[in-house]
Structure formats: structure tokens, C-alpha cells
């Protein structure tokens, strides 16, 4: 269930070019959130909240980690929050990446691009607990945008790709050749063009995609965030039915 | 303190209700507070058939406000009666059905369908939606069409009809007088003002529909002015809306001439805002020396 | 980067100028920066005789905006020519005289007087002031009157005439087309939206005039939308205004179709805002990949 | 000349019921400001600045003191500013209380009510330096609103009046009998009804009154703050020609 909480900020620091890590304290969210879910942050002087995926939780220390990119007015103001402050948060929201049918030694693929990388880290944490075999392909604009490489390496086989080749493999995440693997599922999050390419390249695999859209309410009431689907309704709400959808249900 | 107020078809325990389209059909917000606290609920606009609305992005943030171009997406009047009203029935609050359409016939059809459902207490006639190609605002910006559609919908309705006015007009008083002539039981105002935001990185209107409806605190002074003028020109009760986010705002709308208020955009920032305002209202009224809601209505007029 | 732009009668070294009524006649702000930095200056509205304006309070703060009801207080066209223009003459910037009045005759009289002064480069015809009993907005909200007054004032003027449009209309495009037919050389938009604030402690409208004009960032989406539509419907250059407070806003207005912009309310918060925007403009244009002002105008259209 | 400065906040604390003292650091203002002038403060999230009179300056330590009453949204936000913050200020603005024709041992009367008291303290500081004989009558709603009594006592003969008689003399500042004195001038600041009563009661004396009005620009450009006067112009601007006016020139 979504709760409205005023959360203490443990830290809010830069981790790469235009990229920041925000750690919040919340016993409720750290103990109930699942990979794929997001928090909806109220940033001072902004009419609308901003959605950010949960990148990690620490049940023992009751912390929740968010990773965000500086893209506009809201995130510009978010970086000004200090450790001693509190921030108003709605969450956890949305549906998770489906992993219950996975068992030990199943092979899965995680593909993330830019600000789509964060939710995959939380997912990788959970999958490693299940001892699922992961191959993770993470795409960044260039070396300076790279973050969390160490954290991902600790969780499994990680391949970094940069558009300009300044680090790791040069090119897009879908250019990486993984034909030797036999994946049961793929999990992907990133910009729409990337998600389309992934869905196309791995059309033979049951995959799960996490989408983004500009939110109004973030709880399913305003119809701001719909995405076309194959069912009779013809649409689903990203904030409530998503952000994660099966590759088979969405029309993109 | 007694917060109750009686309006045509609406026995309100307090003057606070969520605005159409900002509260869905109540389900989502019922996880945050008990909907029984509300004075009433206004449902999202209903059309004859299901509508998928406009392409996304549908919302954008503006200074002290937001733009939206949802485009009346809704499952259609019959699915609403079948799937949503049974949920709302469980609460002991008046239900206001918001009626929309592309043609007068569609408006009539939707109003008639809702009138057959005994749980609907009143109809809000949305002739002011700026986000659809046909219907909506075109009825709300022309005196004759506003009068005509109100008459026709009234004839098909067996519950009181509140007409929702658009602020995108040269003279809102003329429109209000027209719907009064046509037999409206009340007025709700204001709907959103048409606006646009251009997204600099892409050099394109941010909202896919290009234009959207401006709402939030930014438009409050416009709503107050229009309600103040309309309340002096017609004898119909007014449900006021436009940028309300706290109990002080509610009192400002009542002083301007509204008999009750609806809260829209503020729900997105704070899902508990309706409940919090209802709880703060008695204390706030007291601070300004009022003893009841009746005591405040229209008292801001010189 | 070259920020210059040529408009009828106005050779602008950059597209930034203070809006009428928010910069007086330049004297006060000249203590904060060199007025020679400005693209041009628009003077406070002038009437035939001196006017004392409305009772106070005349201003109130709103969410991301403000209300004002100054009521066209000014010393009258002759005192302005005699006392204010000599001061502005000392600067090497185009001067736009804003013309107001209660009757068409008064508008003609003021325009003629300014036309006799060689230092005036253009006239801004204010048919959109919401804060005076007669004249002002009534000319700006009626197609025929707008056309008529523009024709008549054009006939008395030997400098280009820019007509200032009111946003308080159902269809601003019709008004824009009417003034184009009447021979206007350009359009400036938008003037303020009529609004009201009720002061809770006194239970009265805060502004003595009751209603006032809403300005500031709150109205920017409405200005952008109207400029976007008008620029597609007429062939006249548009000087855009309404909530501009930084260089990004300027680019948004140019993308919407404005050829230059005016800054009003923002001067009160920051007396240096015009100067700062002019200094930031080249860098900001570069960031978004533009090489000149011409390069941006109207590029936000799909 | 008015300057726009970002000033460090030395302190911002409560000194009486709904009354606060804000001390700012500014070498420019502390060395150039004269009694009667005001500062125009930019408070975060507010479109319009808020004018506050200068209540004291310390040239040695470069500080400027303002005293303000909590009356609405702007002052509510002003009390949230901390010592480590800076605040954007325009000033000093407006004209001063005229005192150059005063010489040692001249007798003058200072009458202040509520938030009209602050500028009189700065004036009293200057007059005491000139060894002018002062009688100061300060009115407050009640005892709990009383502030700066000690400071005024140190500068001269001070009489406190409260509307409810909870402290000092009961009644309005104009009720106090001062017939034994022979004042050369009076200086007054407070709510309009009080200023009218003062002007009336002391019509035989040349006085100076400080007025308030809602400001727009605060620099003389917008005509928001006019007050009717006897000259041919028929008006003056409180922010530029005032806030202090001679009792002979204004029409109230
Ligand atoms: C479910 C969900 C999870 C997300 N998780 C993350 C995350 O973990 N880390 C992260 O950095 N970002 C994430 N985003 C995107 C993030 O919400 C936006 O980048 C942010 O709201 C931008 O706010 P702003 O005011 O800074 O930018 P704005 O000024 O609003 O816009 C600046 C740019 O950001 C883009 N943008 C704005 N809002 C959104 C949005 N809702 N979705 C996508 N793009 C947007 C616009 O295209 C624009 O170019 C997520 C979005 C959703 C819907
Ligand atoms: C030259 C000048 C000097 C001033 N000096 C002081 C001072 O030293 N200490 C002090 O406490 N106040 C002073 N004031 C008044 C002060 O500016 C207002 O109280 C303040 O702006 C209120 O802002 P707010 O947002 O809190 O109140 P708002 O929410 O704007 O209004 C709340 C109440 O304050 C009153 N008010 C608002 N603005 C003004 C104003 N400009 N003048 C008078 N009343 C107003 C309104 O009537 C209203 O009832 C001065 C005003 C002027 C013009
Ligand atoms: C996202 C959104 C959706 C809306 N949908 C509707 C609608 O379907 N029907 C309607 O009559 N008004 C609709 N409105 C208008 C609101 O009911 C209300 O009139 C307006 O937003 C002003 O109130 P506010 O400032 O409190 O939001 C919508 C507003 C928003 C922000
Ligand atoms: C205090 C004030 C006074 C104004 N006086 C005039 C005026 O005399 N003539 C005029 O044409 N517009 C006047 N305007 C309108 C502005 O020129 C401008 O059109 C409007 O404020 C929108 O721009 P902004 O949001 O940047 O202020 C005035 C606006 C303000 C705030
Ligand atoms: S953001 Fe409101 S329904 Fe998804
Ligand atoms: S406040 Fe603008 S002229 Fe005085």
C-alpha cells in the first residue's frame, strides 16, 4: 500500500556527471518495496511530484536508495536538499518485475540505459539472493556518466556500453552479442527507443519492460500516464498497472 | 462547528469535495483516507462510449499550476455505472456524475443513463473541457449553445443539474445567465484556462495535444473574480473551484459567493488534502469569527 | 552572438524591453543599470489629461503572480513629452509610447501628440487595460471596436502602431485579425487577466478597485498559447509578454512566435532582471543550439 | 542610492508576541541609511518584496536591525530564515525624518504604534546623538506585544500605552496628556487611524508622519503606493517621496 511519509535524508550526493544518489530513511518502504517500484517525491515549490525508481533498499538500516539524473527544474531543486532535511514521499508505488517463476541457476538478462539503470540494481540484488544467473548490460552516454559499476559487478556478470566508446563496449546496449546465452527472461528499463530495440531483438524471450511517462497523481486517478495495451481496455496506467509491463501486453 | 450546507440534490455534511478528473472514481484515494469524510464526490467525466483520450505526455508543470490534456479518457457511462458506482455506493456521501460528450445527443444520452441510477444525487454538465476536438468547450463559450444544451440535458435528467462553466470567455456572466434561463439548478466554476508550454530541448509543445488546461493556485484569482461576479448576477448556488489548497482558500471562495468548493490539482501533491482541509476548517472559520458555513457565503461582497 | 532584430519602426539590438507600467519612464531603474543595454523601452500608459488612478491598495500578491489596479495613473501626454522623454532621449534606445484613453477621440489625441515628437519610434495601443471604468478593455474585447479604434489611431500616427491585446476574450485570434485588417503594424500580447483576491481578515476584496490585472509567471502558459495561435493566424510581428523572468522564458516566447519580448512584473522582484536576461541570452541560445534570434522565432510550431 | 545586495543574516529571533527582530550585515546600508528609510526584502516564493523600516544600524559592526510583526504569508516565511542564510535586499529606500533644523535641547515628540514603532527607534538613536530632548509615546495592543522598552528608555523619556491597560497607561497614544511640554516637532509612525488622530491633536505643531501602503516596485516606478497631497500633482509616492511626509503636505 502507498503511504505518504516525511523521510529523513541520509545523504544526497553526486556519483557521476549529472547523476546523483539520494539515500532516505524509511522502515516501511525498506521493508515492503519490491524491484520495479518507484517513490513519488514532493520537491519544494513544485506543483507536481517527481517519480524515481527504487535503486536499493537496506532492511537492516531501514534505508532506501534512489539514483537520479539532473534533467530539469525538479531535479535541479532536488540536489539542493541537505542531509539534515526531510522530504515528503509517496510510496512505494507501482508493480514489480516478475521473478517468482525463476529458480536457482536460471539465466536472465538485465538491460538498462541511463536513468533506466537504477531499478535494475534493486532487481539484481533480489535475483542474486535467489542465486539466479544474471548477465547485465548497462548503457551510458559516455564514461563520465557511468555509475554503480562496482555495485553491479559484485552482483553478477556486468557489461558496460557507452555510445561514444569512451568506456566498455562502444555502441548501444542492443549491439552487444549475447547469442551464447540462453535466457529465460529479460528485464529492461531505459528510454523508449531503447525499450523498442530490446523488445524487437529479444522477441523470442518473455521479457519485462519498465516505462516512463510524465505523471500527474502517480496513484492511478488522473489518467496522465496511460500506455496502449493489447487487452480490450486498450490501455494501462504506468503509475498503477506499471511501470513494469510484460513485453507481450504493451503496444510500442 | 456545523459545516453542513444544503444544495439542490446535495445534502452536504461539509462543503468540501474532490473536483472532476482529479480523483478518478475514488478508489485510489480511499487508501489514504475514509471517503465518508467528504462532503460529496464528483466523478471523472463520462461520455456515451469508452474514450481513450489524447496521446501522452498529457501533463506539464507550470508556475504554481499545471497543464493537462487528458482528453476525457473514461470507460463510458455504462461501465462507470456497472463497475465504479457500486464501489462509491459503499460510502455515505452524495455522488455527482460529470457528463460530457461531442454532441448534444451524447450529453442527453449520458445524463439519461445516470438519471436511471438511483445512487446519483446530481449531474455536473461539463461544457467547458478545453482538451477535446468536438463538444466540450464549444458549448461553454457560446451563449445560445450553453442555453440549448442545458435545456436539453435538464429535460432528460431527474436529478439537479449543475453546469460547469469555462473561464475562457469574454463575459462569463452572460453564460451563467443563459444556463440559469435554461433551468440549471446550480453552477460549478471554474474549469481550466487554455494554456501551453513549449519544451525547450525538443522545441515543441510539451503536451502532445499542444494545448492543455491550466489549473492550480495560479488561476485562483481568476476563479475568485468570476465567482464574485456570477454570484451577483444569478440566483443559483455555486460550487467553486480553481487553485484551492487549504482552508483559507476555501473561506476565500465562500466569501466570493460559492456555497461549496471542489479541490482538484491539490490532490496530486497531497492525496490527503481534502481530509486535512475538512479537519482544519472549523478552527480556521473560528479564527476569522465565523460560526457556520452559511455565515460565510457571499460575505466578501461590498 | 548577434541578438538584433528589426521590427516596424524598431531597430532592436536585442529583443528585450521592459513592459508598460512596470518600468515607469525609466528614471528609477536607470540607477540599477545602464538603460542603453535595453533593446527598447515601453513607457507607462499615457492619457490626454493627467489621471490620478484608483484608490489604494492597488496591488496584491498571488501564487507566482500579482494583481494590480493602478488605473492608468499618469501625468498626461503633454507632461510626459515635456518632462519624461527628454530624459529617455539621452539613451540610444527606441522609445515605444503606450497610448490609452476613455474615448476613441482621446486615443487619437494622445497618438497624434506623440506622433509630433520625433523621438518616439512606435506606439503601443493599449486597448486592454482591465482597471479603468471606461475605455481600455472594452475596446479590446469587441472585434468591431478593436478594428475601429486601430483604424482611427493609425490615421493619426506617423509611426508604426502595435496593438496590445487582452487575454480576457473567448477568441483572441478574431481580435488579432481585426486589428490586422485595420492596418496595425504589430501586436503586443498579453495584457493582464482580470482577477480578484479577497482579504480574509477584513472580508473584503484586497484591492480597493475590487478587481485587478493578474500578471507574472502564473499567466505564462496562457500567454504562450495565445501567441502560438495568433502567430499562425496573422502576418504581424508580435512582442510577447506575460510572466517572463529569465532567458529560458524568452526563448519559449520566441519559439511560440514572438519576435521580441517585454518584461513586467519581474522588474519588481529584481530591478536588474532585464539587464541580466540580456547578458544570459547568448549563452542560453547557444545551449539550445541557436545562432541568432531570427533562428528561434516561431520554431516551436509543429 | 538604492542597492540590491545579498545580505548575511546575523540573527532572526522572536522579541514579543508575534514580533521579531532581524539583524542583517551590510556595510553599505549601515553607513548610509538615515531614520525613516526602509529595506525591501525578497522572501523566497514571493512575487513581491516586503518593505520593513530600519530600526537601528551599527556602523562599527556593519549591522542593520529590522523589527517586524507576523501578519501574513510573507512574514510567516520570513521567520523561517536561519542565521546561516542570506537574504536579498533592496535599500536603503525612501526619505528620512527631517531633523536638521533641530539643535541641542530642542524638545520633540515621538509617537509610535505597533509596527510603527521600529523606525522611531532609529530616529531616537540619531536624536540622542544630537542631544535633542525626546518624549516618546509608544502604543501596543497589550503587554505581550511590548518590545524594545529598555532600548527606548536608554535613549530618553519613554511612555508606554496599551489598548487594554495590561502595561503602562491604558488607552491610545493620543490619550496621553503632554500639555506641559513645548514640542518643536513631532514624529509619528503607525496605523493610519493613529496617524490621523496624531495629526489632528498636534495640528499646531510641524510634524512628520511615516505612512504604509502595499508596495509593488518599491522604487517609484509602478504607482502602487500613492498618497494624496496638497501640491498640484495631487499625489506623492510613499516608496520614493515618503514614507515620511510633512503633516502639512499630505491629505489624510
Ligand atoms: C516510474 C518512473 C521511474 C523513474 N525513475 C527514475 C530514476 O530512477 N532516475 C531518474 O533519474 N529518473 C527517473 N524517472 C524520470 C524522472 O521522473 C524525470 O527525469 C524527472 O521527473 C524530471 O523532472 P525535472 O523537473 O527535473 O525535469 P522536467 O523539467 O520536468 O523535464 C526535463 C526533462 O525530463 C524529462 N522528463 C520529465 N518528466 C519525466 C518523466 N516522468 N518520465 C520521463 N522523462 C521525464 C522531459 O522529457 C524533459 O526533457 C522515472 C520516471 C518514471 C515515470
Ligand atoms: C515603508 C514601510 C515600512 C514598513 N515597516 C515595517 C516594520 O518596520 N515592521 C513591520 O512589521 N511592518 C512594516 N511595514 C508593514 C509590512 O511591510 C507588512 O506588514 C508586510 O509586508 C506584510 O507582509 P505579509 O505577507 O506578512 O502580510 P500579507 O499577507 O501581505 O498581509 C497581511 C496583513 O498585512 C497588511 N499589510 C500587507 N502589506 C502591507 C504594507 N505594505 N503596509 C501595511 N500593511 C500591510 C495587510 O493589511 C494584511 O492585513 C512597513 C510597510 C511600509 C510600506
Ligand atoms: C488532470 C486533470 C483532469 C481533469 N479532468 C476533468 C474532467 O474530466 N472533467 C471536468 O469537468 N473537469 C476536469 N478537470 C478540471 C477540474 O475539475 C477543475 O475544474 C480545475 O482543475 C480547477 O480546479 P483546481 O485548480 O483545484 O485543479 C481536470 C483537471 C485536471 C488537473
Ligand atoms: C503594476 C503594473 C502596471 C501596469 N501598467 C500597465 C499600463 O499602464 N499599460 C499597459 O499597457 N500595461 C500595463 N501593465 C501590463 C504589463 O505591461 C504586462 O502586459 C503584463 O503585466 C504581463 O507581463 P508580466 O507578467 O511580465 O508582468 C501593467 C502591469 C503591472 C504589473
Ligand atoms: S499519473 Fe495519474 S493515473 Fe498515472
Ligand atoms: S511601490 Fe511602485 S511606485 Fe511605490
Amino acid at each position: 500500500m502507498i503511504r505518504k511519509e516525511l523521510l529523513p535524508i541520509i545523504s544526497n550526493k553526486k556519483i557521476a556527471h549529472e547523476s546523483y544518489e539520494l539515500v532516505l530513511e524509511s522502515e516501511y518502504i525498506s521493508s515492503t518495496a519490491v524491484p520495479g517500484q518507484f517513490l513519488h517525491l514532493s520537491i519544494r515549490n513544485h506543483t507536481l511530484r517527481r517519480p524515481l525508481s527504487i535503486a536499493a533498499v537496506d532492511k537492516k538500516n531501514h534505508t532506501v536508495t534512489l539514483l537520479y539524473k539532473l534533467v530539469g527544474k525538479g531535479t535541479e531543486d532536488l540536489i539542493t536538499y541537505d542531509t539534515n532535511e526531510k522530504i515528503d514521499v509517496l510510496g512505494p508505488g507501482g508493480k514489480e518485475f516478475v521473478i517468482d517463476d525463476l529458480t536457482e541457476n536460471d539465466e536472465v538478462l538485465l538491460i538498462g540505459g541511463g536513468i533506466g539503470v537504477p531499478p535494475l540494481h534493486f532487481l539484481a540484488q533480489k535475483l542474486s539472493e535467489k542465486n539466479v544467473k544474471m548477465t547485465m548490460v548497462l548503457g551510458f552516454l559516455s564514461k563520465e556518466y557511468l555509475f554503480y559499476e562496482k555495485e553491479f559487478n559484485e552482483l553478477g556478470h556486468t557489461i558496460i556500453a557507452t555510445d561514444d566508446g569512451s568506456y566498455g563496449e562502444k555502441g548501444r546496449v542492443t549491439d552487444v552479442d549475447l547469442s551464447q546465452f540462453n535466457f529465460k527472461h529479460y528485464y529492461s528499463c531505459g528510454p523508449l527507443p531503447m525499450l523498442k530495440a530490446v523488445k524487437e531483438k529479444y522477441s523470442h524471450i518473455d521479457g519485462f519492460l519498465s516505462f516512463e511517462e510524465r505523471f500527474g497523481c502517480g496513484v492511478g486517478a488522473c489518467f496522465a500516464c496511460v500506455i496502449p495495451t493489447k487487452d480490450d481496455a486498450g490501455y494501462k496506467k504506468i503509475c498503477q498497472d506499471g511501470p513494469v509491463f510484460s513485453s507481450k501486453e504493451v503496444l510500442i | 462547528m456545523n459545516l453542513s450546507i444544503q444544495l439542490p440534490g446535495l445534502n452536504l455534511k461539509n462543503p468540501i469535495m474532490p473536483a472532476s478528473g482529479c480523483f478518478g472514481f475514488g478508489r485510489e484515494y480511499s487508501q489514504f483516507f475514509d471517503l465518508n469524510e467528504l462532503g460529496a464526490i464528483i466523478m471523472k467525466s463520462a461520455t456515451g462510449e469508452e474514450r481513450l483520450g489524447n496521446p501522452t505526455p498529457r501533463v506539464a508543470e507550470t508556475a504554481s499550476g499545471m497543464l493537462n490534456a487528458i482528453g476525457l479518457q473514461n470507460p463510458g457511462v455504462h461501465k462507470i455505472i456497472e463497475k465504479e458506482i457500486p464501489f462509491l455506493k459503499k460510502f455515505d456521501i452524495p455522488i455527482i456524475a460529470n457528463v460530457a460528450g461531442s454532441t448534444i445527443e451524447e450529453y442527453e444520452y449520458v445524463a439519461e443513463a445516470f438519471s436511471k441510477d438511483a445512487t446519483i444525487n446530481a449531474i455536473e454538465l461539463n461544457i467547458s473541457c478545453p482538451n477535446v476536438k468536438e463538444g466540450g468547450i464549444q458549448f461553454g463559450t457560446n451563449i445560445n449553445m450553453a442555453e440549448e444544451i442545458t435545456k436539453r440535458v435538464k429535460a432528460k435528467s431527474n436529478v439537479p443539474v449543475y453546469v460547469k462553466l469555462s473561464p475562457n470567455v469574454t463575459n462569463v456572466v452572460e453564460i451563467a445567465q443563459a444556463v440559469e434561463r435554461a433551468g440549471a439548478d446550480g453552477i460549478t466554476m471554474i474549469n481550466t484556462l487554455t494554456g501551453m508550454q513549449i519544451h525547450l530541448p525538443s522545441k515543441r509543445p510539451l503536451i502532445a495535444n499542444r494545448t492543455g488546461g491550466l489549473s492550480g493556485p495560479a488561476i485562483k484569482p481568476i476563479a475568485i473574480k468570476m465567482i464574485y461576479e456570477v454570484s451577483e448576477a444569478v440566483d443559483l448556488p455555486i460550487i467553486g473551484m480553481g487553485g484551492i489548497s487549504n482552508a483559507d482558500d476555501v473561506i476565500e471562495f465562500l466569501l466570493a459567493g460559492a456555497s461549496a468548493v471542489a479541490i482538484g490539482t491539490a490532490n496530486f501533491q497531497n492525496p490527503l488534502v481534502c481530509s486535512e482541509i475538512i479537519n482544519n476548517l472549523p478552527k480556521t472559520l473560528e479564527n476569522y469569527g465565523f460560526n457556520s458555513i452559511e455565515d460565510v457565503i457571499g460575505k466578501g461582497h461590498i
Side-chain angles (χ1 to χ4, degrees), chain A, chain B:
Chain A
M1 206 197 72
I2 302 172
R3 276 197 203 163
K4 181 170 180 291
E5 298 186 310
L6 197 61
L7 304 181
I9 293 173
I10 304 299
S11 71
N12 184 21
K13 62 171 200 281
K14 190 169 183 176
I15 55 170
H17 183 60
E18 294 180 350
S19 307
Y20 294 78
E21 179 194 65
L22 174 64
V23 181
L24 306 172
E25 183 184 335
S26 169
E27 172 161 17
Y28 176 66
I29 296 169
S30 63
S31 58
T32 59
V34 288
Q37 289 191 298
F38 66 91
L39 300 186
H40 214 191
L41 281 65
S42 170
I43 301 169
R44 60 173 93 84
N45 314 337
H46 288 275
T47 324
L48 296 177
R49 289 170 176 265
R50 298 297 194 275
L52 295 179
S53 303
I54 298 171
V57 301
D58 180 334
K59 290 194 167 135
K60 200 161 72 318
N61 300 309
H62 304 153
T63 63
V64 183
T65 300
L66 308 174
L67 306 174
Y68 63 97
K69 189 168 177 204
L70 189 60
V71 291
K73 296 197 181 63
T75 44
E76 268 163 31
D77 290 338
L78 185 56
I79 66 174
T80 66
Y81 279 78
D82 298 333
T83 307
N84 48 38
E85 292 181 83
K86 292 187 172 195
I87 188 161
D88 177 337
V89 169
L90 283 181
K95 302 274 180 294
E96 68 275 26
F97 286 106
V98 178
I99 59 173
D100 9 324
D101 65 336
L102 294 176
T103 56
E104 206 153 329
N105 300 325
D106 277 339
E107 281 189 351
V108 299
L109 170 64
L110 277 60
I111 308 185
I115 60 174
V117 169
L120 299 183
H121 179 264
F122 187 15
L123 175 63
Q125 284 184 316
K126 274 270 180 303
L127 290 174
S128 71
E129 288 170 15
K130 288 185 120 198
N131 294 315
V132 170
K133 286 215 182 64
M134 297 177 273
T135 298
M136 299 174 278
V137 184
L138 311 177
F140 297 90
L141 279 171
S142 68
K143 186 174 194 298
E144 58 175 356
Y145 287 92
L146 173 67
F147 58 79
Y148 266 43
E149 183 188 19
K150 193 176 118 298
E151 287 80 351
F152 276 100
N153 275 324
E154 287 169 359
L155 295 168
H157 171 220
T158 305
I159 302 163
I160 305 293
T162 53
D163 296 12
D164 65 356
S166 53
Y167 191 83
E169 310 207 0
K170 183 179 195 320
R172 290 187 260 91
V173 289
T174 44
D175 299 339
V176 181
D177 174 22
L178 303 167
S179 45
Q180 74 272 32
F181 294 98
N182 177 356
F183 299 121
K184 182 163 181 184
H185 292 314
Y186 71 80
Y187 301 92
S188 187
C189 183
L192 194 56
M194 186 199 102
L195 294 178
K196 285 181 175 166
V198 170
K199 184 167 184 272
E200 172 133 357
K201 177 169 183 181
Y202 297 102
S203 51
H204 56 289
I205 307 175
D206 284 355
F208 296 91
L209 307 156
S210 180
F211 293 87
E212 292 187 356
E213 187 47 82
R214 284 177 179 258
F215 282 179
C217 67
V219 300
C222 78
F223 292 86
C225 66
V226 297
I227 181 169
T229 53
K230 296 204 182 85
D231 59 351
D232 348 334
Y235 73 93
K236 280 201 156 40
K237 298 173 196 160
I238 290 179
C239 72
Q240 190 179 35
D241 310 316
V244 177
F245 294 97
S246 147
S247 56
K248 294 197 298 309
E249 65 183 324
V250 290
L251 293 165
I252 57 169
Chain B
M1 187 183 304
N2 174 14
L3 298 180
S4 71
I5 168 91
Q6 318 310 324
L7 301 181
L10 302 171
N11 196 330
L12 309 173
K13 67 171 95 69
N14 66 62
I16 310 300
M17 62 192 86
S20 182
C22 302
F23 208 75
F25 299 97
R27 277 181 206 281
E28 296 76 17
Y29 288 100
S30 66
Q31 72 186 301
F32 294 102
F33 67 94
D34 178 358
L35 300 189
N36 281 313
E37 293 179 28
L38 295 170
I41 184 168
I42 305 179
M43 295 191 291
K44 165 118 191 104
S45 282
T47 51
E49 299 305 317
E50 169 190 56
R51 290 214 193 171
L52 289 178
N54 295 321
T56 59
R58 295 175 169 185
V59 294
E61 184 175 77
T62 69
S64 297
M66 70 177 282
L67 290 167
N68 92 84
I70 306 300
L72 296 184
Q73 174 159 24
N74 79 96
V77 62
H78 296 298
K79 273 223 187 67
I80 291 171
I81 289 173
E82 187 189 318
K83 297 212 160 64
E84 306 298 344
I85 293 184
F87 169 79
L88 287 174
K89 246 201 202 112
K90 294 183 287 170
F91 301 95
D92 173 32
I93 53 174
I95 301 173
I96 302 170
N98 182 294
V99 173
S102 310
T103 62
I104 293 193
E105 291 65 31
E106 185 176 3
Y107 276 94
E108 290 179 310
Y109 177 84
V110 176
E112 201 166 7
F114 277 130
S115 291
K116 293 208 188 82
D117 186 319
T119 47
I120 300 296
N121 302 79
I123 282 172
E124 179 179 52
L125 185 60
N126 178 10
I127 55 171
S128 45
C129 180
N131 301 323
V132 286
K133 304 265 155 303
E134 310 132 345
I137 202 163
Q138 86 197 35
F139 293 108
T141 54
N142 175 297
I143 297 175
N144 302 331
M145 287 178 105
E147 188 166 357
E148 167 77 4
I149 196 169
T150 305
K151 243 198 227 89
R152 302 258 303 261
V153 168
K154 254 309 267 186
K156 301 284 187 193
S157 310
N158 57 16
V159 292
V161 173
Y162 291 73
V163 181
K164 186 165 187 174
L165 304 185
S166 170
N168 302 290
V169 293
T170 307
N171 184 347
V172 71
V173 167
E174 288 175 354
I175 307 283
Q177 288 167 327
V179 303
E180 181 175 41
R181 277 197 303 277
D185 301 284
I187 286 172
T188 64
M189 60 194 290
I190 59 175
N191 207 321
T192 55
L193 283 119
T194 315
M196 178 189 282
Q197 182 175 105
I198 296 181
H199 184 240
L200 270 51
S202 63
K203 306 176 179 56
R204 291 282 172 268
L206 192 154
I207 290 194
N209 184 55
R210 294 196 208 181
T211 62
L214 181 64
S215 62
I219 69 170
K220 196 182 75 172
I222 298 167
I224 293 292
K225 179 261 185 180
M226 289 186 169
I227 289 167
Y228 192 95
E229 288 182 351
V230 167
S231 67
E232 289 188 345
V234 302
D235 289 327
L236 302 176
I238 298 170
I239 297 174
M241 62 197 78
I244 297 175
S245 59
N246 57 49
D248 274 34
D249 294 338
V250 172
I251 294 175
E252 188 178 4
F253 273 76
L254 297 178
L255 287 169
S259 298
V261 300
I263 291 151
T265 303
N267 292 290
F268 303 159
Q269 177 59 234
N270 178 9
L272 292 150
V273 70
C274 289
S275 169
E276 289 175 7
I277 289 177
I278 292 165
N279 294 326
N280 293 337
L281 205 46
K283 193 179 76 299
T284 312
L285 286 163
E286 234 172 79
N287 293 348
Y288 290 110
F290 297 110
N291 305 315
S292 72
I293 295 300
E294 297 280 3
D295 209 17
V296 192
I297 300 169
K299 292 301 194 306
H301 291 249
I302 307 173

